[in-house]
Amino acid sequence: MKLELLFLPTTDLDATLATYRDLGFEEVWREGDSTAAITLPGSEVQIMLDSNDPTAVAGPMLVVDNVQTFHDARPVALEVLQAPAEIPDGFMATYRDAGGTTIYVLDQSTAG
């Protein structure tokens, strides 16, 4: 398991990007006008800013080899918010930990 991204929904991608750039972050990729990833120089962890659903909940995105395997063996304390479902390049499931934090778990099992 690897912490790949911290997911942060936003209502204004450009304004949010500008704020993080002022803090020293660099943009590392972008998908259209609604999603971009930033990172601090020297860090492998990215923050994914997304304006597709500003009501979404912020949380870590963990990459695993297989989401279904993770799901089947997950700790009982993880509440299932969304069972494994197909996404571009793999599968994703969403959970809530005992403290109320949303956790996104994904794999890239179908990436070409």
Side-chain angles (χ1 to χ4, degrees), residues 7-11 34-35 49-58 104:
F7 172 67
L8 291 180
T10 179
T11 56
S34 61
T35 306
L49 305 169
D50 186 273
S51 63
N52 284 311
D53 182 3
T55 64
V57 179
Y104 302 91

Side-chain angles (χ1 to χ4, degrees), residues 5-85:
L5 298 164
L6 178 59
F7 172 67
L8 291 180
T10 179
T11 56
D12 187 331
L13 181 63
D14 291 331
T16 303
L17 277 170
T19 299
Y20 280 92
R21 279 191 200 110
D22 288 349
L23 292 171
F25 285 78
E26 298 174 350
E27 186 174 330
V28 290
W29 57 264
R30 183 184 283 252
E31 288 183 13
D33 294 329
S34 61
T35 306
I38 57 175
T39 191
L40 286 169
S43 175
E44 292 184 25
V45 177
Q46 299 175 359
I47 297 174
M48 184 176 81
L49 305 169
D50 186 273
S51 63
N52 284 311
D53 182 3
T55 64
V57 179
M61 293 187 120
L62 306 173
V63 175
V64 296
D65 291 332
N66 184 289
V67 168
Q68 190 63 53
T69 300
F70 175 88
H71 182 76
D72 293 343
R74 75 189 181 283
V76 294
L78 285 181
E79 175 188 356
V80 178
L81 299 179
Q82 180 180 1

